[in-house]
Amino acid sequence: MTPKAVHLPNTATPEEISAALREHGYCIVDDLVPAELMDRIDAEMGPYVDHSLYGDDGFVGKLTKRTGAMIARSPAARELIMNPTAIGTAGKFLEKATTFQLHLTQIISVFPGSKAQPIHRDQVAWDFFPFPRDYEVQCNLLWAMTDYTEDMGATRVVPGSHLLDDREYAIEDSIPAEMTRGSALFYTGKVYHGAGENKSDRLRQAINITYAVGWVRQEENQYLTTPLEIARTLPEDLLKVMGYQMGCFAMGYVGDFEDPMTVLHPPQERRVLNTDIIKRKASEAMDADKLFRDSTAA
């Protein structure tokens, strides 16, 4: 009997979602944003989706389009990126790192007839580096831009695979993450997953918003994708999530050891880095890691 996917209500806290991620490797939060927000994103991004190219291999999907640059192209998408539950969960789940950042923004459009994607882990993007099992580098979301059914090619996940060694999985090892429009699939960079086969006559769309720890390179280059003239109009909290902040101590400064935000402001507003907060957070992370290791060794 195929197990049912793990669902949480939209009242779930970042702590509850993070706990589900650590236990199962994924969870679905139902109806997290209203359909009206998806309508706005669809209106703003639709022309770009229309002009996007299909993938050229079986992994990205020969009948699948991937459309990015969502901060620059869609004001409504900025609300999705800064959704309090999503941001809160990313901060909680990636708390071993000093900071976290936006890793990528992308609409994934799976057209009728698209074959199933190979089951994979997302964290292999960093040159297949073997991150420790107890260190999470990503907090991923797939927001249902359309209803998400198995017949339409809903993303498939292998529950619990984030706790296991690397191996190959078949489609039969996975379950469909079915959800309604406006719901979100949260999943770790370690859990095995992949797009399902779209056997229907309907388009399946999801918005992939991923956050990563602040010290790794982002998959989507946020500084080149969002022109400076647009970046200068954005709120500071969004800019920091985009990466206009220090990733950790001494990583990401500009000029004469200055805050990255300096590049968005006139010369008279140059900001010398205040590393006290960064150092404190790094110290807290090290203390928490030592406590965890001591407790597991006991």
Side-chain angles (χ1 to χ4, degrees):
M1 182 177 178
T2 303
K4 291 185 177 180
V6 176
H7 286 255
L8 295 176
N10 58 17
T11 54
T13 65
E15 289 76 16
E16 291 169 333
I17 298 170
S18 181
L21 290 177
R22 296 190 189 283
E23 180 178 357
H24 306 287
Y26 80 99
C27 68
I28 296 165
V29 179
D30 293 317
D31 305 317
L32 189 51
V33 297
E36 178 271 336
L37 179 55
M38 292 302 175
D39 290 338
R40 288 163 51 206
I41 294 173
D42 184 41
E44 292 166 352
M45 290 297 297
Y48 299 103
V49 173
D50 290 342
H51 287 91
S52 296
L53 300 178
Y54 290 106
D56 59 3
D57 61 32
F59 187 83
V60 295
K62 292 185 177 182
L63 287 175
T64 296
K65 293 183 177 184
R66 297 171 187 272
T67 310
M70 295 187 70
I71 289 177
R73 293 169 166 175
S74 171
R78 301 168 196 168
E79 297 177 31
L80 202 66
I81 292 163
M82 297 304 292
N83 175 271
T85 300
I87 287 290
T89 299
K92 180 65 180 176
F93 190 63
L94 303 176
E95 63 185 357
K96 284 192 175 183
T98 305
T99 62
F100 69 91
Q101 62 186 340
L102 187 64
H103 185 50
L104 65 85
T105 67
Q106 184 182 86
I107 292 179
I108 303 175
S109 304
V110 179
F111 286 78
S114 184
K115 301 300 182 183
Q117 184 184 36
I119 302 294
H120 63 282
R121 279 174 164 161
D122 277 354
Q123 71 177 27
V124 300
W126 288 285
D127 209 17
F128 295 88
F129 181 79
F131 290 98
R133 187 172 292 173
D134 65 346
Y135 190 90
E136 296 292 349
V137 70
Q138 284 178 286
C139 181
N140 306 337
L141 285 88
L142 280 168
W143 293 88
M145 199 171 179
T146 62
D147 283 339
Y148 224 65
T149 68
E150 181 174 11
D151 192 49
M152 293 171 67
T155 301
R156 304 186 67 89
V157 295
V158 182
S161 57
H162 63 305
L163 301 174
L164 304 175
D165 293 333
D166 291 342
R167 55 160 290 185
E168 292 186 4
Y169 286 96
I171 295 297
E172 294 72 28
D173 298 319
S174 63
I175 63 172
E178 296 185 295
M179 53 184 173
T180 56
R181 189 177 190 225
S183 301
L185 167 65
F186 289 73
Y187 62 104
T188 80
K190 298 181 188 297
V191 79
Y192 279 89
H193 69 287
E197 179 180 0
N198 190 345
K199 301 176 182 179
S200 75
D201 58 0
R202 294 174 292 168
L203 174 67
R204 188 276 270 175
Q205 281 187 311
I207 304 173
N208 188 192
I209 305 293
T210 296
Y211 309 91
V213 294
W215 57 270
V216 297
R217 184 168 183 173
Q218 294 153 295
E219 189 166 337
E220 182 184 37
N221 189 315
Q222 299 301 325
Y223 320 108
L224 297 179
T225 301
T226 303
L228 283 179
E229 58 267 25
I230 294 178
R232 288 191 174 101
T233 70
L234 302 177
E236 190 160 313
D237 57 350
L238 174 58
L239 289 168
K240 287 182 176 179
V241 170
M242 289 171 63
Y244 285 93
Q245 64 176 330
M246 294 290 284
C248 59
F249 178 66
M251 292 192 69
Y253 73 84
V254 298
D256 304 323
F257 204 61
E258 296 167 79
D259 190 306
M261 206 71 75
T262 295
V263 300
L264 302 177
H265 296 281
Q268 64 268 27
E269 295 183 25
R270 291 170 58 181
R271 305 182 185 189
V272 176
L273 278 171
N274 179 354
T275 59
D276 290 342
I277 295 176
I278 295 172
K279 289 178 180 178
R280 176 175 56 79
K281 290 193 70 176
S283 177
E284 290 173 353
M286 287 189 290
D287 290 343
D289 184 62
K290 183 177 185 303
L291 181 63
F292 172 79
R293 293 184 185 280
D294 288 348
S295 65
T296 56

